[in-house]
Amino acid sequence: MRAPELRLRAPTPGLLGLPWDRPLSEWVVPDVPLRDIAVGMSRHLVKFVDADGHLWAVKDMPPRIAIKEYDVLRRLEEMGLPAVHPAGLVLQPEFETAILVTRYLEGSWQYRRLFMRLPPDQPRHRARLLDAMAGLLVELHRHGVFWGDCSLANTLFSRDGQLLQAWLVDAETSEVHPRLSRGQRRHDLEILVENVAEGLVDLAERLGLPEEMHQTLIGEAEQVQVRYETLWDLLHAEPVFGFADRYRVEGTIRRLNDLGFAVDELSLQPDESDPSRMRVKVAVGDRRYHAQHLQELTGLDVGEGQAAILLGDLHAYQAQLAREAGHDVDETTAARLWVIEILTPYEQLAHEVVGYRGTAIQAYCDLLEVRWLLSEKAGRDVGTNKALAALAGDVIPTDSAAKMSVAEVPTAPFAVLEMDD
Amino acid sequence: MAAITYKNASCIYEGSDKLAVDNLNLDIQDGEFVVLVGPSGSGKSTALRMLAGLEDIDEGSIEIGGKDMTGVPSKDRDIAMVFQNYALYPNKTVAENMGFALKLRGVSAEERRKKVEEAAKVLDLTEHLDRKPAKLSGGQRQRVAMGRAIVREPQVFCMDEPLSNLDAKLRVQTRTQIAALQRRLGTTTVYVTHDQVEAMTMGDRVAVLRFGKLQQFASPNELYDRPANAFVAGFIGSPAMNLFTASVTSDGVKLGDSTFELERDDLAKISQAGLSEVTVGVRPEQLEVAESGGVEVVVDLVEDLGAEAYVYAHAGSGSDGVELVARCNPRTAPRLADTVRLRRHPEGAVHLFHPTSGERLN
C-alpha cells in the first residue's frame, strides 16, 4: 500500500490524526468527528470534520484538479480576496484520488438557508444577494481571477451591516491571470447569470412558487450584469476635467469611498486628445475604507458594511456631544466615549435580545437599522429602547436587512442526504 | 455553420512584449473539424480563446461566416464552448442540465423538450435524460456538457482540451464519439489538445503551433508524410521520428563509424543548399534490422508490444552518438546489448531539414 502524501498548513494534532490512509467515503462517525452541514449538493464528495476547535471541509477529487484548486486558493489568499482558506492537500495514490482541505468559514451560510426561512418572494433580499455576487466577481476580476463557475451554490454568504459579503468556496475551474481581457470578464459574467438564474429557479421550485415567477427570477439574475458593470465602470472610470475644475476629483474619490474603496493613488495627467484638460486615474485599493478608519479610531476590526454604519452612528454621537458641550469635539475623543457609552452596552443588549445569534456587532448594526426604519415610519426618533423591543419581538420590516439574521442560526444536524433518488 | 478565417491574427501577452499568438493565418472550411495542437506555451489555447472572444485580437482579424469578430462579445458570436472543466448542475437531471440555457433564452417548454430529446438521441443519452449527473460515468457527463452546447445549435464549437479530465481508456472512447458526432452534426469545430495522437485521429486538418507561430496546417497524413520542418517531424508520430544532425559525405551522412546512405536527389538538394551538415529524419517503421548495410548500432532496449516491437539503440558514442528507434517483428527482434545493423527500408522515406532553421529541404 502506498502511503498518502500530506501537505497541511495547519498541522494540528486533530487534523494530523485523521484517517488519511482511507478513502473519504469510508470516514464515518464515531471514528471521525464528522459534522453534518447543510451545503446542498456537490459534484464531489464533501464532508465536514470538527478538529482542534475548528471546522474543516474535506473534498474528494481527482488529484490534478485538487492540486490546481489548492494552488488557486493559495493565490486568492495571498491577494486577500474573499475566498475559503486552503488548509491542506492530501494525495492518496493508493486510491488515485486526493482530498482538498479548507477551513470552514464560521458564521457563513448558503443562500438556500436564508430564503427557505423567509416568507416567499423577497426581492430586496435577493437584490442584496445579487449585489454581493456582483461585488465578489468585480473583486476577483480586478485581481485577474477568472472564476469559471460562479454560482450561488459555489458561494457562501455572511452578514456585513446591511450588506452581504459573498465568499468564493469552489475554485475548481478558476484561473489566475496577470489581467483579464474584456472577453474573459464577459464570459465569466455570462456563466454567473446562467448559474444564478438556475439557483434562483431551483429555489423557487423547492419553495413551490408558481412557474410564472421563473421569468422574473431569470430577469433579476440578468440584472447582475448591470450591477457588475456599474461597479466596474465606477472603479475604472477615467474622468476628464478642465484644470480649473480639478476640485471635481473630490467627487470621484467620495463616490469610491462611499462604496468602501480606499484610493491608493490618484494621478492627473494632461489628456492626450486635449492637453488643456486633465485625465484622472485612480488606483483603487481594498474595499476597507470605513473599516480601516474605524479600526484606527477604536481598534475594532469589523466588516466594511458594518464599519460604514458604525461610523455613521459615531458621527451622530459626535454631533450630539458637540451640541451638549457647546463646542467641537474631535473625532478621536468622540470615538473613545462612543465605544464606552454607546457601543459596548447596547451591542450587548442587542445581542441578548436576538438570542445571541450572529455577532454582537452585527446585532448592534441591526438595532440601528430597526431604529431608523421605525423612526422613519413614525416621523420622529422612536429611541433605542423601542427598537430593542421590536428586535426582541421580531416585529421588524420583512425586507429589512436585520431580518436576514434568520440565516445565522445553524441548521440542526440531519442525516446525510442521498446524492440521487 | 460557418467558415472561420484567421487573418494575420496576433495576441500579445499582458505585461510582455512576446506574442502569445503570432500572425496566425488559417482558413477553416464550413463544417470542418480542425485541431490546434502544440506543446505547452505554443499558443493553441490562446488562438482558440481569440476565436471565442475570450482573448483580445491585438492585430489582424478573425472572421466567422465572413464577418469580422473583432470587438464582438462572445455571446454574439454564435459559438458554443466546451472546456475540460465542465460544470453540470448536480441537483438537476440530464434533461434539465441540457435545457436550462434555452429556458434562460425564453424558449418554450415544448421546444426545449424537442431540442433536448434530439440532442440526447445524437449523444446516445436518451435513456439517461431523467438521471442526475452523479449517476453517470465520466464520459456520459462529458456528453451532457456537449449536449448543453448542442441544443443551442451554434455555428461553431470551440473545444479546449475537453477530454483531459478523463482517464486514458475513456479518453480514447470519447474522442471517437466526439469525432463521429461532429461529422453527424456537420458543425464547424475548432478543438485544442496537447496530445498529438488525439489531434491526428480526430481532425480533418491539424494546425501545429509552437511559440505562438503556425508550423504547419495540413491533413494528418500530410503532416505525417511531409512535415514542413524538424519540429513538426519530431512532434507528430509516436514513437517520434528519428532526427539527427550529421556531417554530409559523398554518399550520405556520417553516423558513428558508418554511413547512413541518402538518395542521389537528396544529396543534390543538400549540395544546392551549400550545407556540410544536415538534419535527417526517419520514422521508426522506415528502418529495419539487417544483416548488412546501413548503420551499426548497439541495442539499449527492446519494447515488445505483441504485434510489433520497437528497438531502441545507439550508433557511435560520446558527443557523436545518436539514438535510433526502429520497428521490427517481435519474433525476430534482437536482444539487449546486441550489436546489429539498422538500414532504411528500400521504399522508406527520408526527410531532410536545414540544421539551423529546421525547414524541410526535400
Side-chain angles (χ1 to χ4, degrees), chain A residues 109-123:
Chain A
W109 34 266
Q110 254 236 344
Y111 75 108
R112 286 197 187 93
R113 196 202 274 179
L114 177 67
F115 291 106
M116 299 294 247
R117 293 176 181 184
L118 286 171
D121 194 20
Q122 289 295 312

Side-chain angles (χ1 to χ4, degrees), chain B residues 56-79:
Chain B
D56 295 335
I57 305 163
D58 294 311
E59 282 166 26
S61 63
I62 295 176
E63 292 176 1
I64 299 178
K67 286 185 201 137
D68 186 356
M69 289 294 126
T70 312
V72 177
S74 55
K75 69 179 169 56
D76 298 332
R77 295 188 182 197
D78 202 7
I79 51 170

Side-chain angles (χ1 to χ4, degrees), chain A residues 164-331:
Chain A
L164 289 176
Q165 172 66 53
W167 303 82
L168 176 152
V169 287
D170 189 317
E172 254 180 67
T173 51
S174 304
E175 296 163 10
V176 183
H177 299 266
R179 191 186 75 92
L180 292 186
S181 70
R182 190 168 163 74
Q184 283 169 316
R185 293 195 295 109
R186 277 175 176 164
H187 181 53
D188 222 9
L189 201 48
E190 282 164 28
I191 296 171
L192 173 74
V193 168
E194 184 173 331
N195 285 348
V196 166
E198 188 279 332
L200 293 178
V201 169
D202 178 61
L203 189 71
E205 284 169 352
R206 280 163 196 265
L207 292 170
L209 297 180
E211 199 165 339
E212 299 81 72
M213 266 294 285
H214 293 187
Q215 280 311 316
T216 309
L217 295 172
I218 289 170
E220 284 180 20
E222 282 166 348
Q223 284 300 306
V224 179
Q225 286 194 48
V226 179
R227 294 165 194 271
Y228 170 95
E229 272 156 15
T230 307
L231 183 55
W232 181 271
D233 290 347
L234 188 69
L235 295 178
H236 296 85
E238 293 184 3
V240 177
F241 303 131
F243 187 67
D245 290 337
R246 60 189 183 280
Y247 65 89
R248 285 168 59 189
V249 166
E250 218 179 295
T252 305
I253 296 172
R254 199 178 311 119
R255 273 195 295 282
L256 290 169
N257 291 162
D258 287 348
L259 285 166
F261 291 97
V263 170
D264 272 354
E265 189 185 81
L266 180 88
S267 82
L268 293 150
Q269 303 278 339
D271 185 40
E272 277 175 18
S273 57
D274 179 359
S276 70
R277 292 164 67 80
M278 319 280 310
R279 179 172 291 276
V280 181
K281 288 187 184 175
V282 183
V284 178
D286 292 344
R287 197 173 194 171
R288 278 190 59 77
Y289 175 74
H290 298 102
Q292 189 77 36
H293 187 47
L294 187 72
Q295 192 165 23
E296 283 161 10
L297 286 171
T298 64
L300 289 168
D301 185 9
V302 300
E304 173 59 24
Q306 292 168 333
I309 294 169
L310 296 173
L311 278 174
D313 191 47
L314 162 60
H315 291 146
Y317 179 69
Q318 185 185 6
Q320 185 195 324
L321 283 181
R323 269 197 310 277
E324 286 168 6
H327 57 78
D328 282 353
V329 176
D330 67 87
E331 201 184 23

Side-chain angles (χ1 to χ4, degrees), chain A residues 43 64 181 183 195 214 420, chain B residues 53-54 88-89 103 135 165:
Chain A
R43 277 188 287 277
R64 202 176 64 85
S181 70
N195 285 348
H214 293 187
D420 207 348
Chain B
L54 301 183
L88 301 179
Y89 301 125
K103 181 169 181 166
K135 293 286 180 190
N165 279 347

Side-chain angles (χ1 to χ4, degrees), chain B residues 177-196:
Chain B
Q177 288 169 345
I178 290 180
L181 177 69
Q182 191 276 341
R183 261 127 214 156
R184 237 181 302 163
L185 294 169
T187 308
T188 315
T189 300
V190 183
Y191 184 106
V192 163
T193 180
H194 64 278
D195 180 344
Q196 57 92 16

Side-chain angles (χ1 to χ4, degrees), chain A residues 108 111 136 139 247 252 299 321 365 367 389:
Chain A
S108 68
Y111 75 108
L136 173 59
E139 276 303 272
Y247 65 89
T252 305
L321 283 181
C365 290
L367 175 68

